[in-house]
Each structure stands twice: as structure tokens, then as C-alpha cells.
Amino acid sequence: MAKGKGKDVRVQVILESIENDENGKPMVSRYITTKNKKNTPDRIERKKYHAGVGRVTVHKEIK
């Protein structure tokens, strides 16, 4: 980022997925990442590994 410019456009976001394990118990998985709010103003979704259920699931941005 150039010196003297305004606010930082990169912000930290939390990605969350709630899936049920094999017993039906809800398991929460969260990841922290950054995004450029100027290029990506909408909420993001990423496929990430969910350790509680042992597979890749869709994690969505929460506020």
C-alpha cells in the first residue's frame, strides 16, 4: 500500500461452517482469513477442511 493513502482495504473475516457429525451432533469449524473489501464487497464462501466431520465443506463469511 502506498504511503499517505486512506484506510486499509484489506479486512479480516471469519469463515464458519456448521455440519453434523455421524451421530447428528452439530460441529462448528471456523477459519480466519483476509479479503480486499474494495474488490470483494459481498460475503465470500470457500471450501475448507472441516476436522469435526473429516471432510471438505463450504465455509461462509460471518459478521
Side-chain angles (χ1 to χ4, degrees):
M1 188 168 148
K3 291 183 180 179
K5 294 291 181 182
K7 294 193 306 187
D8 198 16
V9 294
R10 293 204 71 78
V11 294
Q12 266 193 347
V13 295
I14 300 172
L15 304 176
E16 180 181 73
S17 175
I18 301 174
E19 295 284 328
N20 294 333
D21 64 1
E22 62 272 358
N23 298 326
K25 179 181 173 189
M27 306 287 289
V28 177
S29 173
R30 290 188 177 145
Y31 284 90
I32 296 176
T33 188
T34 61
K35 75 171 184 177
N36 186 323
K37 65 182 177 182
K38 188 174 183 181
N39 294 339
T40 314
D42 300 328
R43 292 187 179 188
I44 59 174
E45 293 182 357
R46 297 285 186 262
K47 289 184 178 181
K48 306 289 280 180
Y49 182 74
H50 192 303
V53 296
R55 60 185 163 89
V56 175
T57 61
V58 176
H59 286 67
K60 298 178 183 180
E61 179 182 342
I62 62 171
K63 287 206 173 193

